[in-house]
Amino acid sequence: MRRKIIAGNWKMNMTPGEAVKLVEELKPLVKNEEADVVFCVPAIDIVPVVEAVKGSNIEVGAENMYFEEKGAYTGEISPAMLVDAGVKYVILGHSERRDYFHETSEDVNKKMKKALEHGLVPIMCCGESLTQREQGITLDWIRQQVKVGYQDIAAADAAKTVIAYEPIWAIGTGKTATTEQAEEVCKAIRDCIAEIYDEATAEAIRIQYGGSVNAGNAAELFAQPDIDGGLVGGASLKAEFGKVVCYK
């Protein structure tokens, strides 16, 4: 049985002071012995949040990372910096990074390899636009993102990673894929991993659903056989996140 993983993606929200206040509010609300709980926070919030979550069940993740060790890459953050700061997880290839900052699946693959090299757990995002869904190419598009993202990554490393399926048309819009739509794509992702590697790796890897996950739909979504938790946006910035994490 795969352990659920429920991660909050704070995006570009919360100053360091606001972040610590939010952590203190959420700590007693997100106690769940049956799931891994992760706060993925802006870079400037990482150090104070790592300190604030000490003694709790919360792990800290970053929202992005560069694929070089060090160098003249102004504004970027290396995996070694994240590890030293106490980060365990890192979101890679979020649709907003792909869209606004033109990251490619090849870029994501480089980041995946570098994160794994440093012992970080990548949360690799994939998802389709509304146009792609209406064109009927959702599964083809997702399979391409997964296959390129995992290129030349060993099965033992792949099994440690997390994949987050986020239909772009459902992020921050209030729209949510139906439970059937979400499960269909998450199962297709698992089948794709089995093709790349084997059934054991496919069974080991955890697949999240993201896209307007909230307290009202979490239980139904997370009950699906191929959905192992959620990557939660807006709801992770308020007390409601406690009800998402403690969805049963």
Side-chain angles (χ1 to χ4, degrees):
M1 178 66 71
R2 291 178 298 272
R3 184 174 171 84
K4 300 293 186 188
I5 175 168
I6 302 169
N9 177 14
W10 290 11
K11 307 193 179 185
M12 197 176 73
N13 295 290
M14 297 290 148
T15 64
E18 291 169 339
V20 171
K21 183 179 178 182
L22 179 60
V23 168
E24 295 302 333
E25 180 185 2
L26 288 176
K27 271 198 293 190
L29 305 178
V30 297
K31 291 182 179 179
N32 185 346
E33 295 179 358
E34 298 178 13
D36 291 335
V37 181
V38 185
F39 289 177
C40 296
V41 306
I44 199 168
D45 294 341
I46 287 172
V47 171
V49 168
V50 166
E51 187 64 29
V53 301
K54 283 182 177 177
S56 75
N57 62 313
I58 302 163
E59 297 283 0
V60 178
E63 297 180 12
N64 189 33
M65 180 206 84
Y66 200 50
F67 51 74
E68 296 288 356
E69 294 286 343
K70 61 177 68 175
Y73 306 104
T74 301
E76 293 292 346
I77 296 176
S78 75
M81 293 174 183
L82 296 180
V83 171
D84 191 66
V87 167
K88 182 175 179 180
Y89 294 85
V90 58
I91 297 173
L92 299 176
H94 192 279
S95 62
E96 290 157 4
R97 297 295 313 176
R98 293 177 190 257
D99 186 14
Y100 305 151
F101 303 101
H102 311 296
E103 289 187 6
T104 66
S105 292
E106 288 77 12
D107 292 331
V108 174
N109 178 244
K110 291 178 184 177
K111 292 182 179 187
M112 291 274 286
K113 291 173 182 173
K114 188 57 69 173
L116 288 163
E117 185 180 319
H118 283 263
L120 291 163
V121 178
I123 300 175
M124 194 204 83
C125 300
C126 57
E128 84 284 12
S129 67
L130 182 59
T131 299
Q132 288 162 336
R133 175 160 283 276
E134 289 175 342
Q135 289 173 338
I137 61 171
T138 292
L139 299 186
D140 292 335
W141 179 257
I142 301 286
R143 283 169 56 84
Q144 183 269 344
Q145 288 183 314
V146 172
K147 287 193 172 187
V148 176
Y150 280 84
Q151 187 171 351
D152 298 324
I153 292 175
D157 284 331
K160 304 171 190 173
T161 68
V162 178
I163 298 176
Y165 165 55
E166 294 195 305
I168 298 169
W169 48 271
I171 298 175
T173 62
K175 296 180 180 178
T176 310
T178 65
T179 303
E180 293 75 21
Q181 287 172 325
E183 167 62 16
E184 176 191 27
V185 178
C186 289
K187 183 181 185 304
I189 291 169
R190 201 174 304 284
D191 291 344
C192 184
I193 292 292
E195 288 176 23
I196 299 169
Y197 300 106
D198 49 46
E199 290 292 341
T201 305
E203 282 302 310
I205 202 164
R206 294 188 289 180
I207 302 173
Q208 299 172 307
Y209 171 74
S212 298
V213 176
N214 56 54
N217 58 32
E220 184 177 349
L221 286 164
F222 300 168
Q224 302 309 302
D226 291 291
I227 300 178
D228 304 311
L231 183 58
V232 185
S236 70
L237 295 168
K238 44 196 175 185
E240 179 186 3
F241 191 51
K243 295 180 181 178
V244 175
V245 171
C246 303
Y247 58 93
K248 289 186 178 179

